[in-house]
C-alpha cells in the first residue's frame, strides 16, 4: 500500500478529507511509536510507505507507559481534533495498518499494547457514519 492508498483508506473510514486523515495518521503513528518499544517501532516504520516512516520511528528504545485515554488525547492534540474524532481516527489508522501489513507484523505491534487498547485495535469501531464510541 502506498502513501496515497494508506491516507485514502483512513479518510474513507473516517469520512473526512485527506488532509485531516493525514494529520490523524501522522499523530497516531507518532504516538504509537512512543508507546511501543523502539525495536517494534523501527520494525513498523520499515513496513510503512516512505512518506509515513519518520512518524513511526521511535524517539527512544523504552516504551512510554500511558493508557488508551492519554493515547487518544495525544493524538487529538497533535492532529488538532476533538476526542471523539481522535478515537475514531486511531481506530481507522489501526484498521488501515491491519489491511496494509502482513498479519503477523500487525499482531506483533498490537500485542505490545495493554488490553485496554483492544477497543481501538480490534476493529471495534464500525464505520457507519458515526464517530466516537
Amino acid at each position: 500500500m502506498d502513501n496515497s492508498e494508506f491516507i485514502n483508506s483512513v479518510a474513507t473510514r473516517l469520512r473526512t478529507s485527506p488532509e485531516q486523515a493525514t494529520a490523524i495518521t501522522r499523530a497516531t503513528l507518532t504516538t504509537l511509536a512512543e508507546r511501543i518499544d523502539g525495536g517494534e517501532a523501527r520494525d513498523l516504520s520499515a513496513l510503512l510507505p516512505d512518506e509515513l516512516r519518520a512518524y513511526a520511528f521511535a524517539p527512544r528504545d523504552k516504551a512510554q507507559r500511558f493508557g488508551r485515554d492519554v493515547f487518544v488525547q495525544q493524538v487529538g492534540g497533535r492532529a488538532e481534533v476533538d476526542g471523539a474524532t481522535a478515537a475514531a481516527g486511531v481506530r481507522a489508522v489501526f484498521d488501515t495498518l491491519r489491511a496494509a501489513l502482513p498479519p503477523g507484523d500487525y499482531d506483533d505491534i498490537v500485542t505490545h499494547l495493554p488490553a485496554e487498547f483492544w477497543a481501538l485495535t480490534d476493529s471495534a469501531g464500525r464505520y457507519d457514519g458515526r464517530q466516537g464510541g
Side-chain angles (χ1 to χ4, degrees):
M1 185 177 289
D2 69 20
N3 185 65
S4 293
E5 292 169 327
F6 196 101
I7 297 301
N8 286 336
S9 174
V10 174
T12 299
R13 292 171 192 278
L14 278 176
R15 297 183 184 182
T16 192
S17 70
E19 294 78 19
Q20 187 174 56
T22 297
I24 289 169
T25 298
R26 291 173 176 173
T28 300
L29 293 173
T30 298
T31 307
L32 178 60
E34 293 169 352
R35 185 60 185 80
I36 60 177
D37 288 333
E40 284 300 318
R42 286 187 288 279
D43 290 348
L44 170 61
S45 178
L47 296 169
L48 293 172
D50 290 341
E51 298 87 345
L52 296 175
R53 285 186 179 158
Y55 296 98
F57 199 82
R60 59 182 63 93
D61 282 336
K62 288 285 189 186
Q64 295 179 32
R65 301 293 175 213
F66 50 82
R68 182 186 66 194
D69 292 342
V70 171
F71 189 101
V72 171
Q73 288 171 354
Q74 288 183 352
V75 170
R78 288 177 167 144
E80 299 181 357
V81 296
D82 63 43
T85 302
V90 169
R91 279 192 297 272
V93 171
F94 273 104
D95 283 349
T96 300
L97 284 170
R98 181 185 294 104
L101 302 178
D105 292 323
Y106 178 81
D107 292 342
D108 285 346
I109 293 161
V110 299
T111 58
H112 289 281
L113 299 171
E116 70 174 317
F117 280 77
W118 293 351
L120 299 173
T121 64
D122 195 27
S123 279
R126 298 287 178 231
Y127 301 97
D128 61 0
R130 293 176 289 156
Q131 292 184 344

